Amino acid sequence: DGANIYIKTLIDGRWEAIDSCEILHGKFMMEGEADSTFISAIFIGNEAVIPIVIEEGNINVDIEMHNVTINGTQLNDKLSHFFNKKYYYEQQIMDLERKEASMILEGHTNKEDYIAIQDQIAEIGNSINFFIEEFIKEHYENVLGPCVFQLWCNGMPYPTINEQIGRILKEAPEVFLSDTYVKEFMA
């Protein structure tokens, strides 16, 4: 309670607030009109919480300690589904890493077991990458494709065009390639 919550959008490389309000009794409400569909982000204070699609409809936001969901509109529902599935894969990897750490602490010495865990982690990593690539391709022509592309590329240690990014860019229509972030990434 009492914290300020903002909807900010990237304008000329800077996050600019387009709306804000105070959280009272654990709730907040913003209302307005937009002449187009675009990606913004929810911030609490100066901390980015989650991307949000500004589009026509009633958007519901639920912010809990370790979980944020946004739904109520078509694209926000799809973005939430994306984050949930990605989180599911990441949890599987963390569970395997914990299993491996536990085996080490218990003095387990069978190298084949460690190799099997690493193989499972690599398989799940490939599943995540395939899922992200297909999601971007499915949403080339709306705001979700460039949004997830940006989030994914920002998570890499340095700007690079690997085989997967090359496929995404090679198959992309002009509407995707003309997105501001995608153009900057390719420059």
Side-chain angles (χ1 to χ4, degrees):
D1 275 351
N4 285 325
I5 192 160
Y6 301 89
I7 295 179
K8 294 184 179 182
T9 194
L10 216 58
I11 300 173
D12 297 328
R14 294 186 51 208
W15 286 104
E16 301 286 339
I18 58 172
D19 204 352
S20 67
C21 68
E22 187 176 353
I23 300 172
L24 297 172
H25 308 293
K27 297 184 182 283
F28 68 93
M29 184 174 164
M30 294 182 214
E31 193 172 349
E33 293 183 24
D35 58 359
S36 62
T37 299
F38 59 95
I39 291 286
S40 287
I42 291 181
F43 281 71
I44 296 180
N46 291 323
E47 183 181 339
V49 177
I50 192 167
I52 184 171
V53 180
I54 305 299
E55 64 181 322
E56 185 177 336
N58 292 320
I59 302 169
N60 303 305
V61 179
D62 187 12
I63 301 172
E64 296 176 10
M65 185 63 74
H66 298 289
N67 188 33
V68 179
T69 56
I70 298 177
N71 57 36
T73 60
Q74 182 180 7
L75 294 178
N76 280 303
D77 289 347
K78 289 179 181 183
L79 188 58
S80 280
H81 175 74
F82 169 81
F83 284 127
N84 289 338
K85 190 163 183 179
K86 184 175 174 286
Y87 178 75
Y88 171 76
Y89 284 131
E90 291 167 346
Q91 282 300 119
Q92 287 182 313
I93 289 173
M94 287 194 305
D95 290 345
L96 287 168
E97 289 171 342
R98 277 193 287 278
K99 180 178 179 180
E100 182 180 43
S102 178
M103 288 168 50
I104 290 170
L105 290 172
E106 292 171 2
H108 191 82
T109 58
N110 187 347
K111 291 184 180 181
E112 286 86 26
D113 291 340
Y114 291 109
I115 291 169
I117 288 175
Q118 289 303 313
D119 288 346
Q120 289 175 328
I121 289 171
E123 184 179 321
I124 295 167
N126 289 336
S127 295
I128 290 172
N129 287 337
F130 177 78
F131 169 65
I132 291 170
E133 181 176 344
E134 290 304 306
F135 187 89
I136 291 168
K137 289 178 178 180
E138 180 182 337
H139 297 284
Y140 270 149
E141 298 196 20
N142 65 50
V143 297
L144 296 181
C147 172
V148 169
F149 181 79
Q150 179 179 7
L151 292 171
W152 183 47
C153 291
N154 284 345
M156 294 182 181
Y158 53 87
T160 184
I161 296 185
N162 60 26
E163 182 180 327
Q164 190 173 22
I165 291 173
R167 280 192 308 270
I168 289 169
L169 295 174
K170 182 180 178 187
E171 297 174 22
E174 185 57 36
V175 66
F176 180 85
L177 297 173
S178 65
D179 176 83
T180 303
Y181 177 80
V182 176
K183 284 193 306 191
E184 287 176 12
F185 181 84
M186 294 186 321

